[in-house]
Amino acid sequence: MTREFPKGFLWGTATAAHQVEGNNIHSDWWEWEKIPGKIKKNERSGIACDHWGRFEVDLSLMRELGVNAYRFSIEWAKIEPREGEMNDEAIRHYQNVVRLLLGAGIEPLITLHHFTSPRWWAERGLWAAPGAATAFCGYAKLVYREIAAECTRFTTVNEPLVHLGGAYVLGLTPPEKKGFLNLKAPLVGMLECHRDAYWALHADAAERGRKIDIGMAHHVRVFDPKRRWNPVDILTAGALDRAFNWTLPDALETGKLRMKIPGLVNIDLEIPGLARTQDSFGLNYYSRDLVTLGFKDGRLEPVLSPKSGRPTNDLGWELYPEGFLRSLRRVHERYPRLSVLVTENGIADHADRNRSEFIREHVDTLSAAVSEGIPVTGYLYWSLLDNFEWIEGFDPRFGLVEMDYRDLSRKPRPSFYKYRDLIRAHAPSP
Ligand code: FCB
């Protein structure tokens, strides 16, 4: 059934620089990927999809798809390969990307940091480096002034806790630190980076008489107790939900950073100037986990698993559109003043068997949310193209467009046309 989406609703797709552009040679990941055993099958991002060299091909795909928005990230390591040294070619490249998108009637939605960082910055300690906020803010201002002065929507950091959790708690991504004790310093540093960029960009925009929207893209997952009536599972799922889903957006609302998982982490502090530094809620929704408590390396820790008997994507993540509605409702209840932009939602589906249905169900869910009065402003499918899925390498296929990595040719999948039709059906009547 076709319900009305608000006027100006954004229909689009999302990508991230490191996953599609190729040759991110000055980034922390580039070096790290060379170490055997880090990425599945020892794959490396390499030329990826050569989105850098073939942007115009991908732009024509977007036009064919009929989107009016494209979320992508700018790669700091390309803009500033060495500290203080800006790369004109990279700046020109992104200027061109923005110009071409605007010319095609596609709104550029810009992410400043999507998991990867310049190596020089990483070597100094990433978000916890001395002067981190000054460096990040300098980069953010440069992007705004030189590349994106015509753009309106910005994400400072993509999935802050997925990024920091992988890098500082689970030790799966660079700099591979393990244990909750490592989390506090980079977390605080990241929030200071965000805060300074938020105020600086707003000041710049105001000087130009423009109004912009800045936030983060938060990964919200549903955590349900594995055994519905088991108090330990209920408490653990609740603690994980509070820590993973709400620590960051709460901090951006209240200025208070509070994260507590008994026995694992206890952070409670105030960051001056951080309150009310998100103008909308960027929501990445993928799946749900069932939660129980179990022993891992001799200590009790939350253990996650998909619900058995339910359909999953190629990575084993449960397909759970109801969780999308649950998440949208919770975001709205918690932050009633914020509109919600779905910055990512997608499925790894090599055979393209479930993707069309996945999108349809999630868009239906979204329209249910809209009719409940939840102010949703857009939906961005992850992803336009198959791409380099971090430690999983190139195997997972999230794309509406299939990549043949041998010759970098692109082929829209059947779901590409289904999404195109769906966008057309939902387009507001003129
Ligand atoms: C999200 C990331 C994105 C991509 C998708 C599948 O967590 O933001 O880069 O890896 O998952």
Side-chain angles (χ1 to χ4, degrees):
M1 172 178 157
T2 308
R3 290 204 192 89
E4 280 284 312
F5 278 84
K7 209 166 158 268
F9 194 82
L10 300 175
W11 293 101
T13 62
T15 63
H18 189 75
Q19 296 178 269
V20 291
E21 283 180 352
N23 287 330
N24 195 8
I25 60 174
H26 299 290
S27 67
D28 53 350
W29 272 70
W30 186 263
E31 281 309 305
W32 184 77
E33 284 164 19
K34 293 180 184 163
I35 307 169
K38 300 300 177 197
I39 311 286
K40 247 188 213 154
K41 298 191 193 155
N42 289 324
E43 284 179 326
R44 295 178 51 195
S45 53
I47 188 76
C49 311
D50 191 25
H51 185 57
W52 185 272
R54 296 169 201 232
F55 180 75
E56 296 200 31
V57 174
D58 296 334
L59 179 65
S60 27
L61 287 164
M62 289 185 234
R63 293 180 106 131
E64 196 183 341
L65 190 57
V67 294
N68 62 2
Y70 177 50
R71 173 176 180 236
F72 63 100
S73 71
I74 291 188
E75 189 61 53
W76 185 5
K78 289 187 179 175
I79 298 279
E80 191 175 358
R82 274 164 289 275
E83 185 170 10
E85 238 176 69
M86 303 302 161
N87 182 298
D88 287 339
E89 193 206 325
I91 295 175
R92 275 199 304 277
H93 171 83
Y94 290 117
Q95 285 170 336
N96 195 38
V97 164
V98 167
R99 192 176 50 79
L100 290 171
L101 285 167
L102 289 172
I106 299 176
E107 183 175 341
L109 311 175
I110 293 182
T111 302
L112 294 170
H113 187 280
H114 195 125
F115 294 173
T116 45
S117 300
R119 201 159 58 243
W120 62 263
W121 197 61
E123 278 163 6
R124 280 190 5 206
L126 228 58
W127 306 99
T134 312
F136 183 78
C137 194
Y139 154 68
K141 283 200 286 202
L142 180 135
V143 169
Y144 183 66
R145 289 179 190 164
E146 304 277 332
I147 297 168
E150 305 286 301
C151 304
T152 342
R153 285 170 221 255
F154 297 85
T155 297
T156 52
V157 182
N158 178 69
E159 298 190 342
L161 276 189
V162 172
H163 167 47
L164 295 184
Y168 288 94
V169 180
L170 302 173
L172 293 171
T173 56
E176 287 188 79
K177 299 247 165 47
K178 253 193 185 155
F180 274 97
L181 281 181
N182 304 306
L183 188 59
K184 188 168 161 186
L187 186 51
V188 172
M190 174 191 277
L191 288 169
E192 289 169 351
C193 288
H194 165 85
R195 171 199 64 194
D196 290 4
Y198 178 92
W199 295 116
L201 261 54
H202 269 300
D204 263 17
E207 254 173 49
R208 288 160 207 260
R210 294 185 62 94
K211 209 168 162 283
I212 56 176
D213 180 297
I214 308 179
M216 285 186 175
H218 301 287
H219 187 127
V220 175
R221 289 184 87 75
V222 174
F223 296 107
D224 278 337
K226 184 161 184 179
R227 295 158 295 177
R228 272 173 64 203
W229 308 113
N230 181 294
V232 173
D233 293 4
I234 294 171
L235 282 176
T236 313
L240 211 55
D241 170 61
R242 277 189 301 281
F244 182 83
N245 287 329
W246 313 113
T247 300
L248 265 287
D250 277 2
L252 302 186
E253 279 304 283
T254 62
K256 295 189 177 73
L257 175 62
R258 289 200 176 125
M259 189 190 231
K260 192 168 181 182
I261 308 179
L264 289 178
V265 62
N266 190 4
I267 303 174
D268 188 350
L269 52 99
E270 180 141 9
I271 300 182
L274 184 68
R276 295 215 160 204
T277 56
Q278 64 188 342
D279 303 317
S280 61
F281 192 102
L283 171 68
N284 291 1
Y285 174 77
Y286 285 92
S287 185
R288 143 167 92 174
D289 292 307
L290 297 191
V291 183
T292 183
L293 205 55
F295 274 102
K296 212 166 133 203
D297 303 330
R299 60 189 296 169
L300 273 173
E301 276 188 18
V303 177
L304 310 180
S305 56
K307 191 172 167 75
S308 57
R310 296 267 314 168
T312 61
N313 76 6
D314 291 346
L315 286 165
W317 306 353
E318 182 189 347
L319 306 181
Y320 184 53
E322 299 91 318
F324 191 31
L325 187 57
R326 287 173 64 188
S327 302
L328 286 158
R329 283 180 180 152
R330 294 192 67 200
V331 168
H332 184 54
E333 271 160 31
R334 213 166 170 108
Y335 315 106
R337 76 177 185 100
L338 299 178
S339 62
V340 186
L341 174 64
V342 180
T343 32
E344 284 180 32
N345 173 240
I347 176 172
D349 180 16
H350 198 277
D352 203 39
R353 201 172 294 128
N354 299 315
R355 185 174 287 103
S356 303
E357 184 62 6
F358 176 95
I359 297 177
R360 197 191 54 70
E361 284 181 338
H362 283 80
V363 168
D364 275 357
T365 302
L366 205 56
S367 63
V370 168
S371 46
E372 284 179 15
I374 301 177
V376 189
T377 55
Y379 175 83
L380 306 163
Y381 177 78
W382 180 274
S383 179
L384 176 66
L385 307 170
D386 291 336
N387 58 54
F388 179 72
E389 179 51 33
W390 309 111
I391 57 174
E392 300 287 341
F394 286 103
D395 260 6
R397 300 286 185 143
F398 279 92
L400 294 165
V401 176
E402 181 181 357
M403 282 295 307
D404 184 337
Y405 291 110
R406 289 166 307 184
D407 61 4
L408 297 176
S409 59
R410 283 110 159 104
K411 189 168 159 234
R413 295 193 161 100
S415 55
F416 175 98
Y417 298 104
K418 281 279 165 25
Y419 186 39
R420 178 197 63 185
D421 295 347
L422 191 147
I423 294 173
R424 278 188 193 158
H426 284 288
S429 29

